[in-house]
Structure formats: C-alpha cells, structure tokens
C-alpha cells in the first residue's frame, strides 16, 4: 500500500494522517480539505473566538511546521465530488482523479438550516467571525435551538451584553440528550442570566426582522443564529456503492468497504461495548477515531474494534459540563453525587441494567475519573445506586 | 534521543484524557481540572502513551518535542 487519500482536513483527518506517520507508514498521504485554512480546532469557535478572547491565529490544530513535517500532499480549498470504489479514485472539483489504495472519509457535518431569510450558523472560522462582528452591547440576538451549541453562544452573547432570546421547540432544552431533570437545571442558568427563554414552541421561518414562531408571534432580532443540529457530508459518496445512512456506515473497526474507512462526525460505526450503531459529533471522538482508523488501515488482517468511552464538554456561564459514555436512549437518570440546585453534581444514566454514562457539572477530576472508569467497565446499575462504596468493586 | 512534553496551558479544556492514557506523565489540578505535567522528560517506555495523549487531546494542547 502506497497511496492513502484522506478526505476531510479537520481533527479526524489530520489525526489520521499524523497517526499513519507515527506508525511508520512512509507512503503518500493526500489530504483533501474543503476549507482553505490549515486544519483548525472547532470547539473554541463558540467559546474563545466568539467572545473575542482569542484571535483566529490560535485555532490551528498544529503549528504549520509540524504539518509540513508530515510530508502530506495537502489540498486545501478543494472539495471531493465523487468516489469510484472499483477504480479506487476520488474525484475533486478541480477536475482531478486521486488514486488510492486506502481511503479515509472524514468530511464531517454541516449545519442544518431553516427556511426563509439567511441566518447565522456556526461551524467554520468564517461563521464565528461573522457572528462575533455582530455581537455588541444592546444588540438583539435570537438563537434557534437550545442544544449545547446554542447554549454556549447564548452564554457568550449575554457576556458581551447582547439581548438574547433562546428558542427551543422541546418543552425542556436538551431533554432528549440528557434527560428532563438535568436539562431543566442547565436551562435555568440561562433564565438567571437574563435570557428570554422560549420553550415548547416551534419555528416557522426566519425573516429579515426576526424569527416567526409557530404560535404566530415574531421574535424581533438584529441577528438570528440557527443551531438545530447537523447533516453529515455524504452527498459526494452517492452512486459509489458505499453504505450511507445518516453518515457513512462502518463496521466495528470503522471500515465501510475494502480499503475504505470512516472517521469523525461523518462516521457511523458499531460500538462493540454499547452494542449500538453510533455517530458522534464530539471533538474527542474525531481524534480517537482517526487514530483507530490509521491503525486498522495499516493492519487490515488484524483490525481492532473501536470502543472508546465517548466524552464531551460544554462551557456555559460559570458551568463546565462534562459527560462520559452514551447518554442517548437512556432508560433512567439518577443524581448520584452532589446537588442539582448548587449545579455541582454527577448524574448517572442507566440503559437496561448497566451504567451507560454520566454527566457532571463542577466536580473535581478525581471524581470524574472514577465515574469514567465505571462507565468504561459497564458497571451494573445496582452498584451505581449503591453509591460510591458500591462502585469501589468495579 | 530525548523528548520533552509541552503543555499550552490556556488551551487545555480539562478533559483529563491525557491523565487517563498516560497517568505516569499527566495529572489534573484539583480545582479546575487543567492538566499538570508530572514528568517533562518521560522515559522511553512511556513515550507511546505520551504520543497517544498528544494525539487524542481534544484541545491540541500537548506537544512532544525532540531534545
């Protein structure tokens, strides 16, 4: 094998390329990236970049010299338009056909949009800078979608003195992800910080003067941000025969077809210890999966299942939210340490009879690591509800 | 050949991933979870773990530098 093509030049793509080199692969690596920038980090976009604490020069994932040292054929500002798995070539919008022995699909996701007038979204450096330019004291910002991204932007915009209306169709923000009890606690912080929180009301369309809600009211705003989730970038795979269903469908080793692998936000794979097909849009997963793909790509006869403990964090006001495991589809939630009202707690999530994940706010690292290990070990729920003493046996 | 570990502390997001994969080299501060380097020039047998930590750090806050 002498030619690896990685499509996608963000965290997953770059990590894959780095790991290939570290594992001793000396052949060609072509990395195709739709954006013109050197690979950069996205979580700070809704945090330090939006708040003005950082300028974009802090965003690159690695110094330019470190990227150079990898000896990549780096094609930035180039979009892959198709793949021929029989001929093993990737077509680009520059009219090239890039031949590969192994292909890594790491094209990520793009923001879902609402019908109507143009609204801000937040995925790229340009998106963040365009929104930041508009956030001034007294400006009115409407945020559609109170998920983690919408919540972070709301918190930053309040910090900058904007009037913020946060609109969420569900009756409790984040309830589908973290449960109603935790969702309620997190959303209360917005209200305490002077946000006009509108829940349980759908959005019809974005207009130049604001957001039209399903109850016929209009939320007037100078700017609108839609933060209503993402769509995997898989259109370029159409007609290739590669399996696509809300992401590139991979097996437990992140392989989608012979010589084709998926990594990062775009990849769906069978998680061996959770027993579900998952696609995770967490920053941490992008790197971990890139690493796993690089190793499996180089050892096709002895691939290893990719079995991470998913992790995400979110910074909102004074709160740092951190979660381990797979919370989606949980059967029950229990507060097992701390106090909800003080926003200092560990919430444990049960799926069937095991601990599937934990979400914590304001807890010290030692506590987090204990719970992470319990999630990693698939602790039985009866040990979890027995308290910390019960977990000691894990 | 010797290596040393660098932490760009303001980038750290306190995920603790480094302390999970290379606990002999990294820890976290109790109050805010920010990473702490326990061993700036790790021995050869720890380098694979350190490289793993550098690779999976979700803030790209770690580097392993020769020399």
């Amino acid at each position: 094998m002498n030619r690896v093509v990685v499509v996608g030049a963000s965290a997953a793509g770059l990590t894959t390329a780095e790991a290939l080199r570290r594992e001793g692969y000396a052949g060609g690596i072509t990395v195709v990236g739709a954006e013109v920038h050197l690979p950069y980090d996205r979580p700070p976009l809704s945090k330090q970049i939006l708040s003005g604490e950082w300028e974009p020069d802090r965003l690159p994932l690695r110094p330019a010299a470190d990227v150079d040292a990898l000896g990549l054929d780096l094609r930035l500002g180039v979009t892959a338009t198709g793949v021929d798995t029989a001929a093993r070539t990737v077509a680009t919008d520059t009219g090239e056909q890039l031949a590969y022995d192994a292909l890594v699909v790491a094209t990520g996701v793009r923001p879902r949009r609402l019908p109507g007038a143009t609204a801000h979204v937040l995925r790229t450096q340009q998106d963040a800078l365009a929104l930041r330019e508009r956030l001034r004291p007294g400006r009115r910002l409407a945020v559609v979608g109170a998920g983690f991204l919408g919540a972070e932007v709301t918190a930053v915009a309040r910090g900058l003195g904007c009037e913020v209306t946060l609109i969420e169709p569900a009756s409790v923000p984040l309830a589908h992800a973290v449960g109603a009890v935790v969702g309620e606690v997190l959303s209360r912080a917005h209200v305490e910080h002077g946000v006009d929180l509108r829940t349980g009301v759908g959005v019809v369309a974005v207009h130049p003067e604001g957001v039209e809600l399903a109850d016929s009211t209009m939320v007037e705003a100078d700017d609108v941000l839609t933060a209503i989730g993402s769509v995997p970038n898989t259109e370029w795979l159409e007609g290739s025969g590669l399996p696509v269903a809300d992401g590139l469908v991979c097996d437990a080793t992140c392989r989608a077809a012979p010589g084709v692998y998926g990594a990062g936000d775009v990849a769906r794979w069978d998680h061996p210890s959770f027993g579900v097909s998952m696609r995770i849009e967490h920053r941490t997963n992008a790197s971990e999966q890139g690493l796993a793909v690089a190793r499996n790509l180089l050892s096709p006869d002895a691939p290893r299942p990719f079995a991470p403990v998913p992790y995400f964090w979110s910074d909102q006001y004074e709160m740092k939210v951190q979660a381990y495991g797979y919370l989606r589809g949980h059967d029950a939630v229990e507060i097992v340490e701390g106090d909800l009202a003080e926003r200092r707690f560990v919430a444990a999530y049960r799926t069937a009879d095991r601990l599937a994940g934990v979400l914590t706010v304001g807890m010290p690292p030692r506590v987090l690591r204990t719970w992470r290990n319990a999630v990693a070990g698939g602790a039985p729920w009866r040990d979890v509800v027995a308290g910390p003493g019960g977990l000691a046996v894990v | 050949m010797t290596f040393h570990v660098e932490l760009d502390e303001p980038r750290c997001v306190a995920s603790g991933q480094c302390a999970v994969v290379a606990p002999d080299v990294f820890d976290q501060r109790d109050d805010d979870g920010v990473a702490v380097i326990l061993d700036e020039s790790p021995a050869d047998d720890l380098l694979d773990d350190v490289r793993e930590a550098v690779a999976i750090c979700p803030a790209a806050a770690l580097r392993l530098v020769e020399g």
Side-chain angles (χ1 to χ4, degrees), chain A residues 129-180:
Chain A
L129 294 174
L131 181 58
R132 174 167 100 175
E133 185 58 35
R134 299 287 302 163
L135 299 183
R136 297 284 179 268
R139 287 260 175 86
R140 299 163 306 170
L141 175 69
V143 176
V144 181
F148 285 107
L149 179 65
E152 287 190 355
V153 172
T154 295
V156 169
R158 282 301 294 151
L160 292 170
C162 301
E163 305 291 326
V164 186
T165 306
L166 179 57
I167 303 157
E168 169 58 47
S171 55
V172 179
L174 286 168
H176 70 286
V178 303

Side-chain angles (χ1 to χ4, degrees), chain B residues 18-65:
Chain B
C18 55
V20 169
V21 301
D24 293 328
V25 180
F26 302 102
D27 198 357
Q28 292 174 272
R29 287 202 299 243
D30 274 338
D31 53 343
D32 59 6
V34 165
V36 176
I37 298 177
L38 300 173
D39 182 356
E40 284 189 7
S41 303
D44 287 356
D45 61 335
L46 294 173
L47 288 180
D48 279 348
D49 289 347
V50 174
R51 290 194 180 99
E52 176 113 0
V54 171
I56 67 168
C57 171
L62 296 173
R63 280 182 91 200
L64 185 63
V65 187

